[in-house]
Amino acid sequence: MKTRGLISRQVGSYGAAAVLSVLTLAVFAYSKDTGPESTVRRYHQSIIDGEISDLSKVTIGTDGAQEQLRLIVTGALRQSEGVTLGRVRQDGREAYADVVYVLPGGRGMTTLRFMVRKPNLKWKIDSEGTLRLLSRMNQFE
């Protein structure tokens, strides 16, 4: 009888571990594309893939600001031989993500800081805020 109790406890422990494992994997799968970094990555990937209609899913701001930002990022992507996500700073429902565009032939790099906000449940690039940051950065050049 003691053996049967020991076996049922072991089976129960394995079952609990299995349920916990499945739950953990489900949480990671659900949240893998939810941070500000992911929003910036999806924005760039949409431009690279030519899926311009997808940009509205990850940006906020006026149509004019969204179009201006798209043109700036498209130009940066065309001129670069590589893109790297730099520093990301998050403060509550607002974040700043630096994207580094590496120029060909070792000519240097250009950095663009994206303002990302979480107005509801999803992070979105604030196109107007990002353009203001870019304008301020250009004043120092």
Side-chain angles (χ1 to χ4, degrees):
M1 282 290 197
K2 274 188 164 183
T3 306
R4 188 180 294 166
L6 180 61
I7 291 172
S8 69
R9 275 185 280 185
Q10 284 179 334
V11 169
S13 294
Y14 291 131
V19 168
L20 186 58
S21 296
V22 169
L23 181 61
T24 301
L25 290 174
V27 167
F28 279 118
Y30 175 76
S31 64
K32 77 173 178 128
D33 268 346
T34 58
E37 305 91 342
S38 185
T39 299
V40 172
R41 181 192 56 76
R42 286 194 323 265
Y43 182 82
H44 282 78
Q45 194 61 53
S46 293
I47 291 175
I48 290 167
D49 293 343
E51 300 293 335
I52 305 307
S53 61
D54 288 349
L55 295 178
S56 63
K57 296 175 186 174
V58 293
T59 55
I60 55 174
T62 64
D63 289 345
Q66 289 182 34
E67 178 63 12
Q68 186 178 358
L69 181 60
R70 182 188 69 79
L71 292 172
I72 291 168
V73 173
T74 299
L77 286 168
R78 284 188 183 141
Q79 293 176 6
S80 67
E81 65 179 20
V83 179
T84 306
L85 181 66
R87 186 173 167 196
V88 177
R89 290 169 308 290
Q90 184 177 337
D91 184 18
R93 299 176 77 80
E94 186 172 285
Y96 297 91
D98 294 341
V99 177
V100 179
Y101 304 90
V102 181
L103 301 175
R107 292 187 337 218
M109 60 185 85
T110 301
T111 302
L112 178 58
R113 179 165 292 155
F114 287 83
M115 178 181 281
V116 189
R117 297 185 187 273
K118 193 173 184 183
N120 296 310
L121 297 175
K122 295 189 181 218
W123 288 96
K124 297 196 177 229
I125 292 172
D126 180 339
S127 55
E128 293 167 355
T130 300
L131 290 172
R132 278 193 303 273
L133 287 173
L134 180 59
S135 176
R136 277 190 245 151
M137 289 172 73
N138 285 337
Q139 289 174 0
F140 289 108
E141 289 186 53

